[in-house]
Amino acid sequence: MKEKGMSKYNVSIIVFFSMLYGLMSLTSCQSPQNTGKPAYSMFFMTTDERQFIWQTDQVDSGIIDPTKQGVILDRPARIWYYMLVQNGFYYFVDSKTEYLIKGKITDNQFLRLDSVYLEGFSYPDNACFLDDNQLLIVNHSVGRKKKSYAKIDVRDMQVHIGELAIEAPQGVFDNMSVGFVYRRESQLWMGYTYHYTNSKMGYGSADTVYVARFSYPDMKLLSVDKDARSTYPGNVNTAQQNTFEDEDGNFYFMSAPGIVRGANPKQPTAIYRIKKGENHLDSAYFYNISDSPIQNHAYGMWYLGDNKALVRSERKDLFNDYKEHYLLPHIEFYEIDLLDRAHVSKLDLPLDRGSSRTCVLLEDEIAYITINDGEGNNDVWLYRSKEQTLEKGLHIAGEIDYIFRIDRLYGE
């Protein structure tokens, strides 16, 4: 078999990072109105591993070649999937220097505007913007250490670093990951679990979902919920979104025990809920995706409205191991009803590939879904859940191997 694109670098290292590290994707907001600024940002990698960013006002039609029309990232260290986009700026941690970089595209160049040193944060575990300016990052703790967090005001890049009051790994578990961070007014939730990584056992995860609740902003631990029906809550959020809040203020997150995340595939991929006004997991709610008509593990989830969600799942009959998981087209998209488990419908899309992609953007009741199948069929598809319609939009031409991200550049 000829491995394309990612075969030129160490896939196992990328998979290791993708299982342990990541940042949290941004929630959807309204598109900018009459700002004169591009609305969207797309992030690509070519077959020879060059990386490009392209900014645009529309993604519903046309053809582009990012190698000719985009901006090459020639100076930054390779970013892969763990980039955040907020209010026209790009944020990522340079793994070699441990500096959080704030950048922007100006005059067709990617410029580093500011930075702040985050000691011990070479590969952030998870992150989210708590408001327009406050960025929270959780580090990847090496060994049996407690996790640290950094809260950064991105206006002046001032940082506060503290330690999370959750138990460090013990026994067979020698590391841990925080898979989601969610703030609701004066409280903050973190989903996490424990992992082992060694030459004898390989990589795997504990059989439990942990959800810690903190007071905010003082980060005092208030409670920890445990649920042994699945593991790895949230997973790598910048790689793929897997949390959301619905119209009623209920918070949903998906677990990821599959081979390229938790590596505990005997447990099911599942959706959990914390209801509005409640402080703990809703023990009565457990949506078992692996036992639904999907019958597979999933790694991405996006909210379509009206209790409908889009789920990105693997086809376990089309790949053999984690290397093929990244390289072979085998991924499908389904619409599910969060309250009616009989409603599961597969979208008529080409098979996708790549497990570390922020590949869906929701706006104005449209899901913009990016597909890259490794054969040059790189496209943005438009799915309208209410009308149940699907159409092809923007086509990406040129030597593009992966569409890492599609983001909104500016919020409300």
Side-chain angles (χ1 to χ4, degrees), residues 24 58-59 111 155 197 205 228 303 310 373:
M24 193 170 188
Q58 62 85 26
V59 291
L111 301 179
R155 291 170 295 187
T197 306
S205 299
Y303 189 54
L310 187 66
D373 67 354

Side-chain angles (χ1 to χ4, degrees), residues 275-345:
K275 297 177 75 172
K276 181 181 179 180
E278 300 293 332
N279 295 326
H280 300 279
L281 288 175
D282 180 359
S283 59
Y285 186 87
F286 185 80
Y287 190 119
N288 189 328
I289 290 175
S290 300
D291 194 40
S292 76
I294 296 176
Q295 288 291 302
N296 280 296
H297 286 294
Y299 303 94
M301 181 179 71
W302 298 264
Y303 189 54
L304 299 171
D306 296 329
N307 297 314
K308 305 296 193 302
L310 187 66
V311 171
R312 188 173 187 258
S313 69
E314 67 186 20
R315 279 277 302 275
K316 58 188 175 185
D317 59 315
L318 296 180
F319 69 94
N320 294 311
D321 55 27
Y322 64 79
K323 292 183 180 180
E324 290 188 352
H325 201 285
Y326 279 80
L327 296 170
L328 297 181
H330 71 280
I331 296 173
E332 299 177 329
F333 289 84
Y334 288 83
E335 181 183 277
I336 66 170
D337 191 313
L338 296 164
L339 304 181
D340 180 4
R341 302 181 193 188
H343 176 90
V344 177
S345 58

Side-chain angles (χ1 to χ4, degrees), residues 15-249:
V15 173
F16 179 73
F17 288 165
S18 71
M19 290 188 293
L20 299 179
Y21 318 127
L23 303 174
M24 193 170 188
S25 297
L26 305 178
T27 55
S28 63
C29 354
Q30 297 298 314
S31 58
Q33 301 294 326
N34 302 320
T35 63
K37 303 173 183 177
Y40 309 108
S41 171
M42 298 185 71
F43 180 28
F44 307 92
M45 187 179 72
T46 64
T47 53
D48 59 359
E49 301 181 23
R50 290 173 295 155
Q51 296 182 348
F52 292 85
I53 292 176
W54 181 66
Q55 297 180 344
T56 181
D57 287 322
Q58 62 85 26
V59 291
D60 57 2
S61 63
I63 300 175
I64 65 155
D65 183 344
T67 65
K68 297 177 180 178
Q69 298 163 265
V71 174
I72 191 169
L73 299 184
D74 54 352
R75 285 190 61 245
R78 287 203 175 95
I79 301 172
W80 306 122
Y81 56 84
Y82 43 88
M83 174 192 286
L84 243 62
V85 183
Q86 173 86 334
N87 293 330
F89 297 100
Y90 298 86
Y91 300 89
F92 67 95
V93 175
D94 187 321
S95 60
K96 293 182 179 180
T97 66
E98 297 189 334
Y99 274 84
L100 171 69
I101 307 298
K102 178 180 182 179
K104 191 171 187 177
I105 291 179
T106 303
D107 296 330
N108 211 37
Q109 289 184 316
F110 184 88
L111 301 179
R112 297 187 180 202
L113 303 178
D114 207 346
S115 64
V116 63
Y117 181 51
L118 301 181
E119 184 176 3
F121 283 72
S122 294
Y123 292 98
D125 220 22
N126 203 276
C128 70
F129 276 91
L130 301 177
D131 56 37
D132 285 344
N133 302 306
Q134 301 297 319
L135 172 61
L136 183 75
I137 301 178
V138 180
N139 78 331
H140 167 63
S141 53
V142 179
R144 295 176 177 85
K145 298 179 180 179
K146 285 194 172 183
K147 281 197 170 292
S148 297
Y149 69 91
K151 188 166 67 172
I152 305 103
D153 189 322
V154 297
R155 291 170 295 187
D156 56 13
M157 301 298 275
Q158 294 296 305
V159 61
H160 166 77
I161 294 178
E163 186 177 80
L164 290 175
I166 52 180
E167 290 187 359
Q170 301 176 26
V172 68
F173 302 110
D174 56 11
N175 64 91
M176 63 186 295
S177 63
V178 169
F180 73 78
V181 178
Y182 168 64
R183 179 189 169 192
R184 182 189 287 167
E185 297 177 346
S186 62
Q187 294 192 96
L188 187 146
W189 284 261
M190 289 188 184
Y192 65 98
T193 198
Y194 299 95
H195 310 286
Y196 55 83
T197 306
N198 56 61
S199 58
K200 182 178 179 180
M201 301 174 64
Y203 169 81
S205 299
D207 60 357
T208 302
V209 163
Y210 298 83
V211 178
R213 179 171 58 99
F214 299 87
S215 56
Y216 181 81
D218 59 357
M219 300 298 290
K220 179 182 178 182
L221 181 63
L222 302 176
S223 64
V224 175
D225 290 348
K226 301 178 184 180
D227 190 297
R229 289 176 289 181
S230 187
T231 190
Y232 207 152
N235 85 79
V236 184
N237 294 329
T238 1
Q240 284 187 99
Q241 182 175 321
N242 36 63
T243 65
F244 55 75
E245 187 179 277
D246 69 11
E247 304 96 331
D248 298 322

